[in-house]
Amino acid sequence: MELRQLSYFVTVAEELHFGRAADRLHIVQSAVSQQVQRLERELGAALFDRSPRHVRLTGAGERLLPEARAVLAAAERARSAVRERAGLRLGTSTGLGEHLDRVLGDVAALAPGTAVQLVSAPARERLEQVADGRLDAAFVRSLEPAPGVRILRLGEDPLVAALPAAHPLAREPELALADLAGLQLCLTARRNNPVLVDLVVGACHSAGFEPLPGPVSGSLQDTLATIGAGSPPLWTVVYAAHARVLLSPRIAFRPFRAPGLALPIGLAVRSGHPPAVVDVLLKALTTLATGSDHES
């Protein structure tokens, strides 16, 4: 039994799709299938119920999954124990804006010479990498618990509306959500950021309207460029700290009228005893939390 086989098995078990698992692992699908089949032959049991329409864990697969995760986590801890490093591996989220610069500056001041490696990955992958030791910590925008991870609440991250600078609403100092009911909403697919999408769509419903779906772009930069064109009038939401570094004459960023929109901010660290370098990060975040707002 190889660690690679266990890693491939866990990835397929999480995706329940060999193609998506191969994409996550950055290898071809046939290699994933071959390694899983070899593991099944060695164990003498089928781990997945495969059909043209679905992939499901068998009873044996369900029993193996927590054990496989434990083995992989132990292997990463062993590698970390002998790896000489004084750096901080930090998972980041989109829209950190100016606050990330402040945190990194505080880390440099508190622990000169500490190398910081920033890792951008989807939220679920960030949590997995913290749990198995590939990351020392990661910023997250949800406080939902995850296996092997503690999430420390840092505060809340306010959202602002982004709309065409030429639109009449852009002259308002702040907006009620209902003011935007006639504009199309450009929002990422829910699978990419369910917490954000649920917050915005739910707030629109509470304000008495169903948001008009607008075009979905592959990146925030593309979305803002589309909004800046002004026709048809579109809007989206942006984290306030990020908006402050996204200066554009064609886009207006306006806060929402109280109580506004905000997402909780957390720092994910490994359960038990996180690496000592995390203490430096926590001290830097204490400095951040005493400021006028919070970011993750």
Side-chain angles (χ1 to χ4, degrees):
M1 185 184 306
E2 301 177 4
L3 290 176
R4 177 178 58 172
Q5 293 171 340
L6 292 177
S7 176
Y8 291 6
F9 160 72
V10 169
T11 305
V12 176
E14 291 172 346
E15 294 293 340
L16 293 179
H17 191 283
F18 279 84
R20 290 195 297 268
D23 289 341
R24 272 182 58 185
L25 293 164
H26 304 293
I27 58 175
V28 297
Q29 181 174 335
S30 59
V32 178
S33 298
Q34 290 170 5
Q35 292 301 323
V36 171
Q37 289 170 359
R38 289 177 184 175
L39 180 61
E40 289 176 319
R41 286 197 296 270
E42 183 173 344
L43 295 175
L47 301 175
F48 294 101
D49 174 16
R50 304 165 174 86
S51 79
R53 301 182 63 179
H54 68 258
V55 174
R56 295 175 181 169
L57 283 167
T58 62
E62 290 177 349
R63 293 190 295 274
L64 176 63
L65 183 57
E67 303 299 333
R69 284 174 169 153
V71 169
L72 293 173
E76 180 56 34
R77 288 195 296 271
R79 285 191 288 265
S80 297
V82 299
R83 188 185 298 137
E84 293 184 6
R85 62 174 183 84
L88 171 66
R89 299 164 299 176
L90 180 61
T92 62
S93 177
T94 57
L96 290 172
E98 61 185 15
H99 289 323
L100 180 59
D101 292 336
R102 289 172 55 191
V103 170
L104 295 181
D106 288 342
V107 168
L110 291 167
T114 300
V116 180
Q117 178 187 357
L118 300 179
V119 178
S120 178
R124 183 176 63 182
E125 292 183 24
R126 293 199 302 274
L127 292 172
E128 291 171 356
Q129 291 179 33
V130 170
D132 65 23
R134 285 175 288 167
L135 289 177
D136 298 312
F139 290 109
V140 293
R141 298 189 188 277
S142 171
L143 305 182
E144 291 295 321
V149 170
R150 288 188 299 131
I151 298 181
L152 310 176
R153 185 184 179 94
L154 302 177
E156 287 195 333
D157 197 1
L159 295 164
V160 297
L163 67 160
H167 194 278
L169 287 174
R171 295 193 290 267
E172 300 294 329
E174 60 182 17
L175 300 174
L177 200 57
D179 295 338
L180 300 164
L183 281 64
Q184 296 179 30
L185 172 60
C186 299
L187 208 55
T188 186
R190 187 181 183 278
R191 65 177 179 275
N192 297 330
N193 197 334
V195 176
L196 174 67
V197 173
D198 289 349
L199 172 70
V200 175
V201 173
C204 290
H205 291 164
S206 297
F209 71 97
E210 181 71 33
L212 301 172
V216 177
S217 301
S219 68
L220 177 60
Q221 182 178 1
D222 291 342
T223 296
L224 294 178
T226 303
I227 292 173
S231 181
L234 311 169
W235 70 286
T236 190
V237 292
V238 178
Y239 297 108
H242 196 36
R244 288 191 284 269
V245 299
L246 290 173
L247 300 178
S248 170
R250 303 173 67 189
I251 299 292
F253 298 103
R254 294 292 179 266
F256 291 104
R257 195 167 299 156
L261 296 179
L263 284 177
I265 306 164
L267 182 75
V269 299
R270 195 185 319 162
S271 298
H273 301 285
V277 71
V278 173
D279 291 337
V280 175
L281 177 62
L282 293 176
K283 290 179 182 178
L285 289 168
T286 299
T287 302
L288 174 64
T290 59
S292 59
D293 51 17
H294 305 279
E295 172 67 35
S296 166

